[in-house]
């Protein structure tokens, strides 16, 4: 099963989630794809992810940005694999500047990002990762996160560093066959 984990203020309606969903449907793998809507709370997000994969056997997470952080949490806690797309390394630091009123880009739902959210992310940070469980895809033009931090954090993992691009990973569709191969399809 491939579980797509969307990023901060995103949703299952995001472009990459929809592209992956269509790609898997076209290959007869619709039942092997899931993309849960993740709540703002880190504990809540992990509970949703754990319910999504319960009883599913082999899982490969595909985490984009904050979803990459959650994918890392799941892999280091429960095993499996993860493809990380411009992953957030330490959202408790990186999202500090976003404290206050927020709005989900897809649902329009408003909420307040508070210190308690940062504290939850800090508590879930995995200090060490198991490199062989990851495929890292980053673009050097990421305007939100420093791709070099991801390259360093996941040293020893299979890595694809693409010149240019942006935080959305413009080259994403190009890597769909590689993503499915890494996931075991």
């Amino acid at each position: 099963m491939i579980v797509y984990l969307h990023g901060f203020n995103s949703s299952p309606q995001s472009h990459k989630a929809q592209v992956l969903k269509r790609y898997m449907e076209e290959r007869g793998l619709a039942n092997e794809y899931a993309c849960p809507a993740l709540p703002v709370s880190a504990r809540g997000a992990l509970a949703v992810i754990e319910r999504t994969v319960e009883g599913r056997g082999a899982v490969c997470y595909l985490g984009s940005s904050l979803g990459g952080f959650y994918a890392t949490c799941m892999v280091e806690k429960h095993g499996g694999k993860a493809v990380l797309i411009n992953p957030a390394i330490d959202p408790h630091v990186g999202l500090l500047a976003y404290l206050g009123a927020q709005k989900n880009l897809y649902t329009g739902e408003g909420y307040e990002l508070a210190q308690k959210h940062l504290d939850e992310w800090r508590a879930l940070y995995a200090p060490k990762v198991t490199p062989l469980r990851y495929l890292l895809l980053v673009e050097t033009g990421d305007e939100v996160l420093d791709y070099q931090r991801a390259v360093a954090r996941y040293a020893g993992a299979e890595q694809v560093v693409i010149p240019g691009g942006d935080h959305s990973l413009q080259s994403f569709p190009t890597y769909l066959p590689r993503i499915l191969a890494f996931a075991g399809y």
Side-chain angles (χ1 to χ4, degrees):
M1 173 177 217
I2 293 180
V3 180
Y4 183 92
L5 303 176
H6 64 75
F8 180 67
N9 282 340
S10 192
S11 86
Q13 298 306 311
S14 73
H15 176 71
K16 287 187 296 292
Q18 292 300 305
V19 166
L20 179 60
K21 179 181 178 185
R22 280 191 301 277
Y23 188 78
M24 291 189 71
E25 287 170 349
E26 290 166 0
R27 279 143 191 80
L29 298 170
N31 292 334
E32 297 296 315
Y33 173 80
C35 182
L38 302 177
V40 177
S41 160
R43 286 189 190 104
L46 288 182
V48 166
I49 298 164
E50 287 175 344
R51 281 193 304 273
T52 300
V53 302
E54 189 173 354
R56 287 301 302 215
V59 175
C60 182
Y61 302 95
L62 195 153
S64 179
S65 194
L66 183 57
F69 175 82
Y70 291 138
T72 300
C73 291
M74 291 298 293
V75 166
E76 294 306 322
K77 183 177 179 183
H78 300 292
K81 296 177 167 183
V83 177
L84 306 175
I85 298 172
N86 291 333
I89 302 301
D90 46 13
H92 55 283
V93 175
L95 291 172
L96 180 63
Y98 293 86
L99 287 176
Q102 294 293 319
K103 185 188 286 190
N104 184 289
L105 301 172
Y106 293 88
T107 66
E109 177 187 352
Y111 66 95
E112 190 80 14
L113 185 66
Q115 183 63 45
K116 68 181 181 179
H117 297 111
L118 301 181
D119 293 342
E120 285 184 11
W121 288 317
R122 181 182 300 107
L124 292 171
Y125 179 81
K128 293 183 181 181
V129 297
T130 311
L132 295 178
R133 295 182 180 189
Y134 298 96
L135 167 60
L136 177 68
L137 301 173
V138 294
E139 289 182 338
T140 63
D142 187 335
E143 72 284 7
V144 177
L145 299 171
D146 180 356
Y147 81 93
Q148 294 173 331
R149 293 195 63 225
V151 167
R153 172 134 166 95
Y154 297 95
E158 187 177 341
Q159 298 188 358
V160 179
V161 179
I162 304 117
D166 60 26
H167 187 63
S168 72
L169 198 83
Q170 293 176 4
S171 61
F172 178 68
T174 307
Y175 292 97
L176 291 170
R178 188 166 185 178
I179 289 167
L180 263 63
F182 182 78
Y185 292 98

